[in-house]
Structures are given as C-alpha cells and as structure tokens.
Amino acid sequence: MCGFKMRLSARLYCSVTKRIGELTKQYANLPERYIERATEHVEWKTPNRINYLPRTVKKPAREFRFTTNRPWSDEFRRQNEGTKREPVFIEPIKEWMIYRGDRVEVLVGRDRGKHGIVSQVIQERNWVIVAGLNTHFRRMGVKKDYPGMIVKSEAPLLVTSQVALVDPSDNKTTKVEWRFTEDGERVRVSLRTGRIVPIPHSAEETMDYKSRKTYSDADKDTPASVVEAITYEPKLKTFESEIMEELGIQEDRIPKRTFWY
C-alpha cells in the first residue's frame, strides 16, 4: 500500500510539474516552441552527422526544482545543474483564483494579518510573492576583501494555506468561485458577499506591454488582419493530390501491378 501511494504521488508530481503554468507563459509572452526548446535541458546529443543515429538524452521533468526564476532563464538552468535535487510535491490546483495585482492577506509569519499586492505568480510551485511582505535578508557578493551587501527580498507564499484573497467591497478575506454573468462573461464571485471580484488590469501585463490596447505593432509583427485572413481547410489528400486538384491535372494512367515476396 505504501509503494502504491509513492507511485501515485510520483505520477501526480510529474503530471503537475512537467508543464509550465499558463500564467507564467502569458507573462513571458514568448512563443510556445521557444519555451519548449529553452526548457529541454538536453544532457547529451549525438553529433549531426550521417554516421550517427539521432539520439538525445534529456533530463526528466520530475527532476526539476522550480524556483522564483523563470524556467527558461539562465539562473534556473544553473540552479538545476550538478547534483540531483529532491522533487518537491505540490497540491494541484484545478482553478487558479489569484492573479497579479490582487490584494491578499498574509496568514503566516511576522506579517500575519497585513494586506499586500501580489507582484508575481509562480504556478509551478503554487506560489505568490506579495510586494513588501514576508521579506528576508540575504548577504550577497562576499569576498575575502569585501564583506558583501545585504539585500532585502520577498519570500514566496503558498496560495493554498498562507494567503487569502481580499474582497474589495469591504476589505475582508473571502473565498471565491467562477461564475458566468448574463452576458456570458466568466467572473470571480465572493462566496461571502456575492459581489464580483474583478481581475486586476495588471494581470494582463506582460514583458512586452502593459495592456493589449496600448501595444503598438513593431516592424516584424504580423497584423491581425493578415492573420484572420489566413484560413486552412484540412483534407484527406496528399500534397501532390492537392496541387493536381488546384492545377486541374487529371491522373488517367493505370499503375502497373506490383508483387511483394
């Protein structure tokens, strides 16, 4: 029974941590193919030559330890290099309720009972970072002839048990759930007051723009009108058959009979 629980926990961990959170990718505003390529963590790969079979050894996703650094950054890669780190089991969250810009109340630590604004969301570890709260001091840059400097930084908090969302109508903590309005809009609703808890505008912010409306197209950006005009209808035909159909070419030749022994 214990072994079954361990295998179940391992599968649960792999199913949760092998992919990057949607809010993390949304904030990065990077193509999906770039994120997959940057987070592969290839340990060994055969040379690209004719006399070598294509073989690649990748680091399993269950061996990654997600941190406050972005999964495609060099800091994240350096933290996961070298010795094998023990996996961290997390509680899967089906519906994410807290976004960047939300006001939350800290439930643990020295700042218990204080309200703050969420500055960063890390879905891979069920973490949020509250600006100015739950801080700690670190000494950095220590050398033989230099004592280093003290840096103050915020430590992450678990959304499951260490923070609570604040209802903006009365500034008290509440639980929320997703509901639909009469217009079909999906909104967060407070279970205590029944009022709508709007998603902050800063949740739409990415590394490239504050909001979609204020973003101006660059030289290499494809206009939305061109993207919408491109349509593709899948067909059960080969590429050659589609070309022949477009050019009006009719195949009237009868292939010879072939025999396989």
Side-chain angles (χ1 to χ4, degrees):
M1 187 65 181
C2 182
F4 172 75
K5 289 183 178 180
M6 290 296 294
R7 290 194 299 272
L8 180 61
S9 300
R11 287 198 298 268
L12 180 63
Y13 172 81
C14 295
S15 64
V16 173
T17 59
K18 70 181 180 180
R19 60 181 183 272
I20 302 173
E22 292 298 326
L23 295 180
T24 304
K25 293 186 289 187
Q26 178 182 344
Y27 179 74
N29 199 28
L30 294 172
E32 186 79 21
R33 60 182 182 274
Y34 171 78
I35 295 177
E36 292 180 357
R37 185 173 68 251
T39 56
E40 275 184 343
H41 291 267
V42 177
E43 295 182 349
W44 181 77
K45 187 176 182 180
T46 55
N48 188 16
R49 297 178 184 176
I50 300 176
N51 56 337
Y52 284 92
L53 291 174
R55 296 291 185 269
T56 304
V57 178
K58 298 181 181 180
K59 187 175 182 179
R62 62 178 180 272
E63 296 183 7
F64 295 156
R65 181 188 287 267
F66 288 97
T67 62
T68 54
N69 296 313
R70 302 297 178 181
W72 50 84
S73 61
D74 294 335
E75 292 82 1
F76 179 82
R77 183 179 295 274
R78 285 195 294 268
Q79 288 177 340
N80 283 274
E81 285 179 350
T83 59
K84 180 179 178 181
R85 308 183 70 178
E86 294 296 328
V88 179
F89 295 92
I90 63 173
E91 179 182 352
I93 298 178
K94 186 177 181 180
E95 295 287 348
W96 193 268
M97 295 294 183
I98 298 180
Y99 294 84
R100 296 178 67 252
D102 277 331
R103 182 178 295 275
V104 296
E105 179 178 328
V106 180
L107 305 178
V108 295
R110 294 177 297 176
D111 297 326
R112 181 178 181 180
K114 294 183 180 180
H115 291 188
I117 305 299
V118 175
S119 61
Q120 187 176 347
V121 174
I122 305 171
Q123 280 187 291
E124 296 80 16
R125 291 287 296 272
N126 293 347
W127 280 347
V128 293
I129 294 178
V130 184
L133 297 181
N134 194 39
T135 58
H136 64 282
F137 295 93
R138 294 183 297 170
R139 186 184 296 271
M140 301 180 63
V142 179
K143 298 181 180 179
K144 292 182 179 180
D145 55 346
Y146 181 67
M149 56 183 179
I150 302 298
V151 178
K152 182 180 179 181
S153 60
E154 296 94 353
L157 293 165
L158 284 171
V159 297
T160 54
S161 58
Q162 297 180 345
V163 294
L165 187 64
V166 174
D167 192 337
S169 62
D170 56 2
N171 288 333
K172 295 182 180 180
T173 60
T174 181
K175 293 183 178 181
V176 294
E177 69 176 7
W178 289 104
R179 296 180 186 177
F180 290 91
T181 62
E182 295 180 355
D183 299 331
E185 183 183 1
R186 192 166 181 257
V187 295
R188 295 182 300 177
V189 178
S190 171
L191 296 179
R192 186 171 51 79
T193 62
R195 295 177 178 269
I196 295 178
V197 181
I199 297 178
H201 293 290
S202 57
E204 188 182 355
E205 179 183 349
T206 67
M207 295 292 292
D208 297 330
Y209 54 78
K210 286 285 186 180
S211 63
R212 293 186 179 92
K213 295 181 180 179
T214 59
Y215 178 76
S216 57
D217 294 337
D219 297 336
K220 295 185 178 181
D221 290 341
T222 304
S225 58
V226 176
V227 176
E228 295 174 356
I230 298 175
T231 58
Y232 174 75
E233 296 181 1
K235 300 178 181 179
L236 293 175
K237 296 182 179 180
T238 61
F239 175 75
E240 292 80 3
S241 300
E242 291 190 20
I243 295 297
M244 293 174 62
E245 183 180 354
E246 292 291 335
L247 298 179
I249 301 175
Q250 298 292 333
E251 180 60 73
D252 54 359
R253 295 176 298 176
I254 300 176
K256 296 182 179 179
R257 296 181 66 184
T258 58
F259 302 91
W260 293 88
Y261 297 95

